[in-house]
Amino acid sequence: EIERRQEELDVDVATLKLLRSDSDAWEKDMKSALQRHRLKINEEWTTGAQVVHRVLDELTIVDQLRIGVGMGRDTFDRAWENANVTVLS
């Protein structure tokens, strides 16, 4: 009886070691994936911020005032297009 229980315990220990190994590998994979996604999100935010910065640099104060009162849509669109071309190229 004791030997049979010992064999069962040995099997249980082996199963737990296997599960532990699998969960450790899964955790490592998930951490790696999260890090890749964090880096990608950071790159996207940085690029977006650069575009906005370029747009603001390109617009004069008069352009900004015209946009503020709803009259400068074309100027903004051109500045946005130029900024995207410049930053993304």
Side-chain angles (χ1 to χ4, degrees):
E1 175 68 22
I2 291 176
E3 288 179 15
R4 184 182 64 77
R5 286 190 160 210
Q6 181 62 45
E7 287 175 6
E8 289 175 1
L9 287 174
D10 289 343
V11 169
D12 290 346
V13 167
T15 301
L16 288 173
K17 285 181 180 179
L18 181 61
L19 288 172
R20 179 68 172 175
S21 174
D22 287 351
S23 66
D24 288 347
W26 178 80
E27 181 182 17
K28 183 179 177 184
D29 289 346
M30 290 300 101
K31 284 181 178 179
S32 176
L34 283 172
Q35 183 62 23
R36 280 193 313 273
H37 291 294
R38 282 187 187 116
L39 290 173
K40 183 64 176 167
I41 289 169
N42 188 36
E43 288 172 8
E44 293 296 325
W45 278 78
T46 300
T47 300
Q50 289 172 344
V51 169
V52 170
H53 191 265
R54 289 241 183 220
V55 168
L56 293 175
D57 282 349
E58 188 169 321
L59 296 173
T60 66
I61 189 69
V62 173
D63 292 334
Q64 292 176 29
L65 290 171
R66 291 182 69 217
I67 291 168
V69 296
M71 298 173 54
R73 182 69 190 184
D74 291 337
T75 304
F76 175 81
D77 288 344
R78 277 193 308 276
W80 186 262
E81 176 88 20
N82 292 340
N84 273 295
V85 167
T86 302
V87 170
L88 299 177
S89 60

